[in-house]
Amino acid sequence: MSRKVTDKAVGNRHVKTIIIGSGFAGLGLAIRLSKQGRNDYLVLERGSDVGGTWRDNTYPGAACDVPSHLYSYSFALNPDWSRSFSKQGEIQQYIQGVAREYNVLDKHLFNCDVTAARWNNATNLWHIESTRGSFTADTVVSAVGALCEPALPDIKGIKGFEGETFHSARWNHDADLTGKRVAIIGTGASAIQIVPSIAARVAHLDVYQRTAPWLLPRMDRPYTLPERLAFRHIPGFQRLSRAAIYAARETQVVGLAKVPALMRAFELLAKAKLRLEIRDPELRKKVTPAFRIGCKRMLISNDYYPALSRANVDVVTDGIAEIRANSIVTKDGTEREIDALIVATGFHVTDSPTYNAISGKDGRTLAEVFDEIGQQGYKGSAVANFPNMFFLLGPNVGLGHTSMVYMIESQINYIADALATVDRLGLRTVEVKRAVQDSYNEDLQGKLVKSVWNTGGCASWYLDKHGNNTTLWPDFTFEFRRITKNFDVSAYETTSVESSRNELKVVAGQ
């Protein structure tokens, strides 16, 4: 059985490949490398365990909005899912179980926060500083997910609030909200799960809404014993079920990315749900979105609207002017007293703080590069100016309709083949050509022009400050799988191991 690396520090150490982060992406790549016999790698994880967002997001009601059988590795199907849409704890247990089963925990360094990663042009190595020591590596793979850095609202007085306050992704389980006056800021994916989970036990709940989300029914139910037995014992049954779910989800791409008018059917369903579940016309008007469905993330819930209809819940649509020691004041001058404040305002997606820690060959950080050109990459897996660095869940890999694990495994195929190609051809460095990256992104943005994300009339976290959608993949996921099947070395500037040795000899004066 594998064990976790628990040394307090590791000093200076060279590793052929370093993976930063161990959620679904980083863990999946670690397993692939081990399967290929590429054992000279290390996973640096700032948390105390694998799991990423499923380790960190433990708020009440936390659950996945992708069907369970699709939200798992293709090489590690789980016949024992308890229900069609799994809850946070069950997903985390699944990830932990996979890590144990594939014996990769001894390749992890936990509680290790990477503070800097710098490319050294003289040595052609990445130099990495962390809270657990320094490292050099031939190749670095960033597997830092998009939903890992909580975004805190810039509201006057928020730091002076004297009651309990925390972000949904950093839930304080020691805080007892029973009988308290609570406010929650945000109405996104986390908030619509939190609100129904706490509404019945708090004295009063104010839901501060900036933009109303579109909600669809959550087709969730427990799996029966015969179903679980079939998943486990009938050959191919679970994979067939998974394939059917995948195909059904993939049909949504036509409306989301290609013919937005087709989203009208989903919008009619969402409106019918809204009318059925909220009888109060004034409240219904408040929570009716003013943009086309799909423009922002489509959410699923069966209990959010009923929770909003409770007598002890108010939806507040006036903007927040300031937060005082024990209250929130809205822009119309109304002051509402509260005992606890929950911030459910999402994450830094297009402006992750981790970008400031990564410096490329010209000394600029990833944040500086993205600030200039926008969050652009090549196949979501490489960025010009950052040699020997690959990304899992990089630019334009996100989805609005199906499982991210499918995209992650596609990228793992690409990166694993890249590492094999580097060894086979005796390459020292690989860096995507800027012209290739520019052409790739021009094509991406061209596809996005007519998508619902660009024409649906909303502002979302999908867009960067340049107004470009640098988050989502604008096509079928099987098309992404096709273009990442093999590493296309011709798209990269390369140097050989031999040429690098000669350059070092010149520098050394030999």
Side-chain angles (χ1 to χ4, degrees), residues 145-289:
L147 307 182
C148 68
E149 293 289 344
L152 299 175
D154 183 16
I155 300 175
K156 178 183 177 182
I158 191 169
K159 293 182 179 179
F161 180 69
E162 296 179 353
E164 291 283 356
T165 180
F166 45 85
H167 192 278
S168 57
R170 302 290 184 267
W171 194 270
N172 181 5
H173 290 277
D174 293 328
D176 184 7
L177 301 180
T178 304
K180 300 289 182 63
R181 298 167 299 180
V182 180
I184 182 167
I185 301 175
T187 52
S190 299
I192 69 158
Q193 295 180 344
I194 294 169
V195 168
S197 300
I198 67 173
R201 61 187 173 96
V202 303
H204 189 83
L205 178 61
D206 290 321
V207 180
Y208 285 84
Q209 172 189 283
R210 184 173 60 180
T211 306
W214 281 110
L215 263 63
L216 293 169
R218 185 178 183 86
M219 310 302 287
D220 189 22
R221 64 176 181 83
Y223 282 123
T224 63
L225 178 59
E227 285 176 310
R228 293 200 301 273
L229 290 174
F231 291 139
R232 177 169 288 280
H233 298 293
I234 298 179
F237 181 70
Q238 187 176 13
R239 289 201 178 275
L240 182 62
S241 299
R242 176 184 169 100
I245 296 169
Y246 170 79
R249 290 264 166 164
E250 205 67 5
T251 61
Q252 295 181 30
V253 175
V254 180
L256 290 169
K258 301 179 182 298
V259 188
L262 295 178
M263 295 305 295
R264 179 67 176 166
F266 287 96
E267 195 165 308
L268 290 173
L269 175 61
K271 285 182 176 179
K273 173 183 174 65
L274 176 57
R275 180 168 291 275
L276 179 66
E277 295 181 358
I278 294 186
R279 297 297 187 181
D280 179 7
E282 183 178 346
L283 176 58
R284 189 189 304 146
K285 183 178 180 181
K286 278 185 176 182
V287 298
T288 298

Side-chain angles (χ1 to χ4, degrees), residues 446-487:
K447 289 182 177 180
L448 283 160
V449 166
K450 295 182 179 180
S451 73
V452 70
W453 307 304
N454 283 39
T455 63
C458 72
S460 73
W461 54 266
Y462 297 152
L463 308 179
D464 67 9
K465 73 171 191 175
H466 301 280
N468 293 321
N469 186 331
T470 58
T471 305
L472 297 177
W473 171 248
D475 210 331
F476 297 106
T477 59
F478 56 75
E479 176 62 16
F480 187 77
R481 177 66 58 92
R482 182 190 67 80
I483 69 169
T484 53
K485 182 178 181 180
N486 301 111
F487 179 65

